[in-house]
Amino acid sequence: MNYQSYTEDNLQIEGEKSYKFILENLPDCLACHKLDGCYNYVTPACQSLLGYAPEIIIGQSIKSFCHPEDYHLIEQFYQQLQQQSVINPIVYRMRHQSGHYLWIETSAKVILEPRTGAIEQIICISREITKYKQIEEAFNQAENQYRRIFAHSSQGIFKMTAKGYYLNINTALAQIYGFGSQEEFMQSVIHREKQLYVEPKRRETLLKILDIEQEIVNFESQVYHQDGNVIWISENAWTVCDQSGNFLYYEGTVEDITFLHNTEEKLHRATFFDNLTGLPNRDWFSLQIQEVIALSSLHEYYNFAVLFVDLDSFKVVNDSFGHLVGDKLLVQVAKRLQGSLRTGDKIARFGGDEFAILLENIQSVREAINVAERILARLRSPFNLETGQIFTKASIGITFSDINYQLPEDVLRDGNLAMYRAKTEGKDCYAVFNSNMQLAALNRLQIENDLREAIKQEQLCLYYQPIIELMSGHLSGFEALIRWQHPTKGLIYPDEFIPIAEETGLINPIGWWVIQQACYQLKCWEKEHPKGLKLSINVNLSAQQLKQKGLVEKIGDLLTETKIEGNRLKLEITESCLLETVTIEAQRVNQIKELGIGLCIDDFGTGYSSLSRLYEFPIDTLKIDRSFIRRLEFSQTAIVQIIVSLAHTLGINVVAEGIETLEQLNHLQGLGCELGQGYLFSKPVDSAKANQLLHNYNSEGNRGGFI
């Protein structure tokens, strides 16, 4: 055998084997067919692709497996192949043996007959691209959806360059700014920074943030609307890059939040501001205190002060002129307070007639005192209202940060305590908080709690002080005086607990109990001493009791129940109560008088009532305060003489309180004072000792024994 011939044959065989191996292991399907489209050769990969064995496919036309809707694509494909040997791949659908269709991408090349140049064979390589086609379809759908959203969204959408120039906007964004279309906006808005944004450099700030963080959320700005108004917008924006990370553009959204912003502003004002005066309220003020507390804890020399301001006798204005006038007064007070402050000082209204002022970063409490004195001076000037001039003053409590406060409520508590101290010291003044005030407040709270328990446990009792006819020495009656028999503290006098009872409203049940007990006691004395004894009983009546609905009816029922004549009961009210009495209370006083009950003005001369009010009410008796009686020993009789003369001119009798010496008695007799009470005759005594006094008084020949 020729070695060369053997080698060539052997190489040919090996080459055919290699060629066959390659064809049979191609991942893509290779097929050959004539111009008529019938397959004459397919690789095994076709079975993996379509599920058909090669022998089934060979001899069949490509249209046998093609989706009917794609026939025209196949026809176009063959027409193009006849014109050029290589064309772009075709994408179409072919049926799998299981019945479903796959997306196929086919590339083709024609083999020409060398002699004639006619198409001898068409070689196609096909691969499945169903997943890619699905991805493409999803992407197209997303793109179409985005375009629809972009075009029809109610939210403004934009694309812009790194320098902030718009590449594209949707109609909604144009409409937010007041333009009718995208085109009108793009033509009109040339300089975005100046034409759109109210705040200079606002857009520059947005771009700087985007450059650093690549995204910005809820960037709120005020912008100009085309009609000249200012609106609020919120912008979201982010960076869009290509696959290599190169910047393409910024994309984002714009939302008109004017309504939301205005609503939040109204809510903020409703939450933190007072509707009447326009000042911030307590909640806002507490937040400010929290901030300065934090500053004072961080900086050793940072100090602050709070002034708690409460108008004096504001309730009298409301009761006398009505709440409308009271509100107008509060508005003017608020303005006057603001005018008294320094730059940077903060003020709030706490409700009612209470105001608070915060002084920040001050050197000493003296600065706070200067502000308080300035406020007090300005408030002393009259306020001009429609009803005329009204006078009001204030009590101011001051607390300073040197106490090392931790909580706003503690600051306000101490300021309030200091304010109450100012009131107890005479009003129209200020008081600076100290630790003794807190101890006094705790003591007051303890008294209040004990007093509530005292009412339940019936620890209250009445003492009785005789009221004497000064000329004859005869017993006219008794004044009923309340005492508290405390289980551990012993006997407590009313000065210690009646003010607390009035502040807490406990005075109403206590006061009514006193009236009842006094009437029951008087009835008992009448039964035990029936020999023509006609005593009267005096009972103190508070201003709060006088305001109670149904008071007159209850007293009338009590008189009926005890069968006591009305003129045997005398109710004592103070001068301040007389001043504060308005129309409703005045009617109640007249109704009380219709029951025959006597009306006394207690501690006359210590208050500030006008003499005209003595004409307005059916007063029976004036009680001269003990402070004037003490002066009689020093021959200071003028005031007492004036009071006695005034009372007699008005047909009113007079009772002198606190008579302790014969010299005082002689002066009063000389002035014509009818009645008196005091230690010269008897201290207040309990019911048993009062009963003994009556026995002694009723004993034969002792009717003048008190003098």
Side-chain angles (χ1 to χ4, degrees), residues 208-216 237-241 247 250:
K208 285 181 178 178
I209 296 173
L210 274 174
D211 184 52
I212 296 170
E213 301 185 7
Q214 309 301 306
E215 183 178 12
I216 192 169
W238 51 92
T239 302
V240 178
C241 300
F247 175 85
Y250 291 126

Side-chain angles (χ1 to χ4, degrees), residues 332-396:
Q332 289 201 20
V333 167
K335 291 179 180 178
R336 200 170 288 187
L337 288 175
Q338 287 176 292
S340 304
L341 302 183
R342 310 164 310 168
T343 302
D345 294 341
K346 296 175 180 177
I347 181 173
R349 182 192 176 207
F350 276 25
D353 58 345
E354 295 179 339
F355 298 85
I357 296 166
L358 174 62
L359 311 180
E360 299 183 53
N361 197 22
I362 62 176
Q363 300 302 313
S364 69
V365 72
R366 182 67 244 181
E367 292 184 51
I369 291 173
N370 291 341
V371 174
E373 290 175 338
R374 186 161 59 247
I375 289 172
L376 292 172
R378 293 192 177 187
L379 291 181
R380 291 184 187 117
S381 300
F383 291 86
N384 296 311
L385 300 177
E386 297 173 0
T387 54
Q389 287 190 337
I390 291 181
F391 291 84
T392 189
K393 299 175 183 179
S395 298
I396 302 177

